[in-house]
Amino acid sequence: MTVAEGLKSAIRERVLERREGLLALSRRIHAHPETAFDEHRAAAWCAEELREHGFAVTAPAHGLETAFTATVGSGPVTVAIACEYDALPGLGHACGHNLIAAAGVGAALGLAPFADELGLTVRVLGTPAEERGAGKALLLEAGAFEGVDAAMMVHPCPFEVAEFRSFALGTLSAEYRGKAAHPSLNAHEGRNAADALTVAQVALGLLRQQLPPQWKVHGVTTGAGTAPNLIPDRATAEYEIRASAAEDLRELRERVEACFRAGALATGCEVSLTRPEPDYLDFRTDPGLIALWTANARALGRPEPQRKDAFACTDMGNVSHAVPSIHPVLDITGGACGPHEPEFAEAAVSPEAERAILDGAVGMAWTAADFAAARRA
């Protein structure tokens, strides 16, 4: 069961009435990039836009200073719309999260006058720290998605994809502790922490030969001594691991951590291995929800979606393991450039990006309405 065309037209008109405000919100967030957990202005701007249109807003929310919740309607079906707004260090909005925020706010504004008629409770979640910090995983643990029947967001990209796939991602911080010594006077008394890290990196290089092609291990050395005439007593590194599914990520982590422990064992150093942030789980698209989105996207004249293997990671994956979710991506560059490139930051305020904001807002609003109707059927 889908919503009558007349009601859908009214929802679309409501979004388009807010066109200039939504585009201004996107441009303002884009012009003032804020990185993970520091998105105070972006969160406040989104929350204020919703508050002005009758939403009950809680900010900050769920223990995160730059998270918020905004709700309208009292229907039995609850749909959560996620707004991301964090930027990339040094690159600004080269992942286009300004579009995500504006589209999410727009979808909620389109639904607001009709929420009770549709049997909907609309819950907008301001979700900080997608690029680094796994904000949605933290919000999920804090109960932000409790009682939610479906969750959704859209993301800009260099191509159009409905059924989004992502890798599972884990992070690892390694710190070796050895013993400082002079390299010629008493080298035999030292325990070289930099050597321990080198052994680990050699072990990782050999391990990669035995890993499935979709398993990835990559990282950087962040400290390995300060002078050549001092055996370093401390060395540090930051690594990421990626796999196609959460189950594979657990096995990969065990094998990677064994390489770091081997470095400590070989050199007589001690090693501390920590996780700086929660794991990002692989995204699992809900088939019924994405069928509704696909039909609505076609009705809006969006390009025919492509099928793509996993190419990125998102903390929306964690949500999708707990709640039926969709994460369609909308083409704003035609393949000319992709996320995390400087050119993509420019594309995030282009006419194509602004069309994606409005299409994303209307498409999500229509999909939420169709989902509620299907639940009532």
Side-chain angles (χ1 to χ4, degrees):
M1 179 178 178
T2 57
V3 176
E5 287 304 314
L7 184 50
K8 282 193 170 180
S9 294
I11 291 171
R12 184 178 191 178
E13 284 304 311
R14 181 69 175 179
V15 173
L16 295 180
E17 285 173 9
R18 294 300 308 149
R19 180 183 187 278
E20 292 308 316
L22 294 172
L23 300 186
L25 175 64
S26 171
R27 296 184 197 114
R28 194 183 315 155
I29 294 172
H30 186 275
H32 299 87
E34 299 165 301
T35 53
F37 299 116
D38 196 34
E39 317 95 325
H40 295 280
R41 289 176 295 189
W45 291 331
C46 292
E48 186 57 32
E49 184 75 14
L50 293 162
R51 185 182 288 111
E52 288 180 0
H53 289 85
F55 284 72
V57 175
T58 301
H62 301 289
L64 298 181
E65 281 296 315
T66 55
F68 70 84
T69 63
T71 60
V72 73
S74 56
V77 178
T78 298
V79 171
I81 301 171
C83 291
E84 296 175 4
Y85 31 64
D86 59 320
L88 289 158
L91 286 174
H93 278 287
C95 206
H97 290 190
N98 56 301
L99 278 74
I100 299 171
V105 169
L109 294 179
L111 287 167
F114 314 104
D116 288 331
E117 179 182 350
L118 291 163
L120 270 174
T121 297
V122 180
R123 184 185 304 177
V124 185
L125 291 170
T127 62
E130 190 278 335
E131 294 292 352
R132 177 63 65 198
K136 290 186 198 63
L138 300 176
L139 289 170
L140 189 65
E141 292 171 7
F145 290 88
E146 286 181 6
V148 170
D149 297 294
M152 60 184 67
M153 59 171 285
V154 295
H155 199 299
C157 232
F159 37 72
E160 196 93 0
V161 172
E163 192 172 345
F164 176 74
R165 294 175 174 83
S166 73
F167 290 108
L169 168 71
T171 53
L172 177 68
S173 293
E175 180 183 19
Y176 289 99
R177 289 289 185 178
K179 182 180 178 183
H182 192 284
S184 61
L185 177 64
N186 62 335
H188 60 286
E189 296 179 2
R191 297 292 182 267
N192 194 315
D195 285 353
L197 181 53
T198 298
V199 170
Q201 289 171 327
V202 170
L204 289 169
L206 296 171
L207 174 66
R208 286 189 182 98
Q209 183 178 241
Q210 313 301 324
L211 296 179
Q214 67 271 25
W215 291 15
K216 309 293 181 183
V217 181
H218 44 95
V220 294
T221 298
T222 53
T226 57
N229 62 345
L230 177 66
I231 290 175
D233 63 351
R234 183 174 182 270
T236 57
E238 298 288 335
Y239 269 74
E240 290 184 347
I241 57 175
R242 300 175 192 249
S244 54
E247 297 78 11
D248 297 330
L249 191 70
R250 284 190 283 271
E251 179 183 345
L252 178 57
R253 184 181 289 279
E254 289 175 2
R255 297 177 72 177
V256 168
E257 288 185 350
C259 293
F260 283 100
R261 293 192 183 95
L265 181 65
T267 58
C269 295
E270 296 180 354
V271 65
S272 172
L273 301 174
T274 57
R275 300 185 189 188
E277 58 196 51
D279 288 347
Y280 288 57
L281 305 185
D282 53 300
F283 189 83
R284 298 179 177 178
T285 294
D286 181 77
L289 205 54
I290 204 62
L292 296 174
W293 162 268
T294 302
N296 287 318
R298 287 194 179 112
L300 287 167
R302 295 297 306 175
E304 194 64 19
Q306 304 176 39
R307 185 175 179 84
K308 292 280 186 180
D309 292 333
F311 59 88
C313 300
T314 174
D315 56 5
M316 191 68 177
N318 299 61
V319 178
S320 76
H321 281 240
V323 176
S325 301
I326 58 171
H327 184 288
V329 301
L330 307 181
D331 185 4
I332 67 168
T333 71
C337 59
H340 297 214
E341 299 175 19
E343 295 81 5
F344 202 80
E346 298 176 16
V349 285
S350 66
E352 292 79 6
E354 296 187 341
R355 178 194 169 190
I357 291 170
L358 300 175
D359 285 351
V362 174
M364 284 193 289
W366 283 356
T367 300
D370 285 339
F371 177 75
R375 281 294 185 96
R376 299 200 317 271

